[in-house]
Amino acid sequence: MDTAPTEPSPSFRLRNGCLNALRLRRVFDLFDRNGDGKITTDEMGSALDTLGLGADRAGLEATVAAYIPAGANGLGFNAFESLHRALGDVLWGPIVEQEEPEKEGEDEDMKEAFRQFDQNGDGFISTTELQAMVKKLGVVEARSLATVQEMICNVDRDRDGQVDFGEFKIMMLGMTVWGA
């Protein structure tokens, strides 16, 4: 049974190249389960399965194989970025670089990310919603509710115990990705 969506999400590629590179690095680091700087097709397949995207292993291997350098056992970040760009180009056409980032587009991308976390649509990310999402992304620390509550406390400026869109945006813009 193929559970892949018929239309890819428009959030596959952000409008702003810098934000896209940062998000892509985060995805790469999440997929690279053993932290060796390479993503094998098994790691990629497992990550896609975890996200509910049910990857066909044979199709995945056929697609990815062309991007794995000879003698390598997986995709390094540059190869992963090339694969991502090629898939994006096929689905939406090449990215046209803009001189001025589209502020409105960035906000829409941020709102879309917020909606992924705000599962009940009430405009806030609760401890339970954050824990569910970070577990889905494979973050080990998500097993502890106390750790997730601490994550919320670190960004909860109005101290209401949940994260609103403004707090989420500040958190996302202030994140550091190691190795990027």
Side-chain angles (χ1 to χ4, degrees):
M1 180 174 136
D2 185 11
T3 59
T6 55
E7 292 257 342
S9 167
S11 66
F12 176 82
R13 179 189 287 168
L14 296 173
R15 291 169 193 87
N16 180 293
C18 292
L19 289 176
N20 200 37
L22 179 63
R23 183 166 84 172
L24 192 61
R25 184 65 202 204
R26 289 182 185 143
V27 169
F28 179 86
D29 291 341
L30 287 170
F31 281 26
D32 181 18
R33 291 286 201 179
N34 63 3
D36 66 353
K38 303 277 186 233
I39 300 175
T40 64
T41 52
D42 285 337
E43 286 175 319
M44 187 176 290
S46 294
L48 293 172
D49 289 345
T50 299
L51 293 171
L53 300 175
D56 168 54
R57 292 301 197 268
L60 183 61
E61 287 202 27
T63 302
V64 172
Y67 293 88
I68 297 176
N73 64 347
L75 295 168
F77 179 71
N78 290 338
F80 182 70
E81 188 174 33
S82 295
L83 171 63
H84 179 265
R85 186 176 302 113
L87 290 173
D89 289 351
V90 166
L91 296 170
W92 295 285
I95 291 177
V96 177
E97 291 298 326
Q98 301 168 345
E99 292 193 20
E100 289 287 321
E102 290 182 18
K103 185 72 171 159
E104 187 177 311
E106 289 176 27
D107 280 350
E108 286 305 312
D109 290 331
M110 197 70 73
K111 286 177 185 173
E112 175 60 30
F114 182 81
R115 282 190 288 269
Q116 296 300 313
F117 283 84
D118 179 20
Q119 296 171 346
N120 67 4
D122 67 354
F124 299 96
I125 300 170
S126 68
T127 306
T128 306
E129 290 169 322
L130 179 61
Q131 185 177 38
M133 183 56 100
V134 293
K135 271 185 181 178
K136 199 183 271 189
L137 294 172
V139 177
V140 177
E141 292 83 0
R143 293 183 193 145
S144 163
L145 188 59
T147 302
V148 175
Q149 287 171 332
E150 188 177 321
M151 289 176 183
I152 286 186
C153 285
N154 287 331
V155 298
D156 184 16
R157 292 177 177 248
D158 60 7
R159 303 290 180 227
D160 64 354
Q162 41 192 3
V163 178
D164 62 32
F165 178 69
E167 294 163 338
F168 178 80
K169 187 174 176 180
I170 290 167
M171 175 190 69
M172 294 304 284
L173 293 173
M175 290 182 111
T176 301
V177 177
W178 303 107

